[in-house]
Structures are given as structure tokens and as C-alpha cells.
Amino acid sequence: KPVDELLFKEYVRAAYLTSAKIMEARQLDKEEKSHFDELYLLRNLEGDRTLMRKILLDFVQEGPAMLTELSLAVTGGETEKIVWQANKAKGAFSSIGAERMRMLMLMLETAAEATPPDFKHFQELMVLIEQEYQKLKQCLEEWVRDDG
């Protein structure tokens, strides 16, 4: 059966881009940067530290469920659900200035939208997502405990 050249080129491009982005994510992890942008969130909340505390507590409490849903979709190879869950999480993490998590969710979303989907990188991305979430969660817990 002949190979559809356009589909093959798209697959190679998507695999290359995803691999490059995984390398970029690993490099970001080596840099000394905060896991969320406290000033960004505080500005968006017009300086309301009480509301910020509540939002960060919600992230600490609800984050594991969000990642579990995403992990189940990845394990099941449910690309539509991966795209939906990753997009939802991307927006949530973006809202608190968690740039690394936002970027990882975008990478997962992009891999799931590729034609064909880039299943090879799903598990590797999930490992990076879990690792980054644990670091983010620790930062959020520290901020809530110390109240900034």
C-alpha cells in the first residue's frame, strides 16, 4: 500500500517538533525560575492576597484530579479527550502564571492534535508534567503557608 506523502511529512514534522519541545522543557527545568508568577497573579487580582490565597489553595487541592483525568486520557489513547483536558489545564495554569505547566500542556495538546497523533511522546510528556506539577504544588503550598 503506498504511503500518503503529505501525511508522512506531517507525522515527521510533528514528531520532530514534539521532540524539540521536550528538550526545551527539560532545559527550562534546569533554569532557576519560579514555577508560578506571583506578581502576574497578584496584578490580575488587583492586589487581593486573600483571593490569591484561595485560588492557590484550590490549585493545590484540585490539581491532582485534573492530572488524573489527563493521565487516564493519555493511557487510553483518547486524543479528543487529551486535547480537551490539556487545553482546559493550559488555561488554568496560565491564569496563575505557571508558564512551565502551560507550555507542557500546549505540547501535549499539540502532540494529540498531530496527524497522526504523536502517541510516542504522550508518556514522556506526562512524566514531565507530573514532575513539574509536584514542584509547582510545593511552591503554591509554601506561598499559602507563608502567605507570600
Side-chain angles (χ1 to χ4, degrees), residues 70 81-92 105 109 113:
L70 192 55
K81 194 170 184 180
I82 293 168
V83 169
W84 186 75
Q85 290 288 344
N87 186 277
K88 183 172 90 171
K90 181 179 68 179
M105 292 302 165
E109 182 181 11
E113 289 176 330

Side-chain angles (χ1 to χ4, degrees), residues 10-11 13-15 18 79 83 108-118:
E10 176 62 24
Y11 175 77
R13 185 187 71 75
T18 302
T79 56
V83 169
L108 186 60
E109 182 181 11
T110 302
E113 289 176 330
T115 306
D118 193 357

Side-chain angles (χ1 to χ4, degrees), residues 96-115:
I96 65 164
E99 180 59 23
R100 291 180 189 174
M101 285 298 292
R102 186 202 65 79
M103 186 185 77
L104 288 167
M105 292 302 165
L106 175 61
M107 290 167 56
L108 186 60
E109 182 181 11
T110 302
E113 289 176 330
T115 306

Side-chain angles (χ1 to χ4, degrees), residues 23-76:
M23 296 299 287
E24 182 183 333
R26 287 188 179 139
Q27 183 60 38
L28 265 180
D29 194 45
K30 293 177 185 175
E31 296 174 11
E32 293 295 323
K33 290 184 178 176
S34 177
H35 296 275
F36 86 105
D37 188 341
E38 175 183 347
L39 294 177
Y40 170 82
L41 181 56
L42 202 52
R43 271 193 312 272
N44 286 342
L45 299 174
E46 298 177 353
D48 189 338
R49 295 179 83 75
T50 303
L51 181 56
M52 184 170 171
R53 187 174 196 279
K54 182 186 179 329
I55 289 170
L56 297 181
L57 275 172
D58 287 347
F59 263 88
V60 169
Q61 293 168 352
E62 296 175 20
M66 187 182 339
L67 294 184
T68 297
E69 286 290 319
L70 192 55
S71 183
L72 289 172
V74 165
T75 302

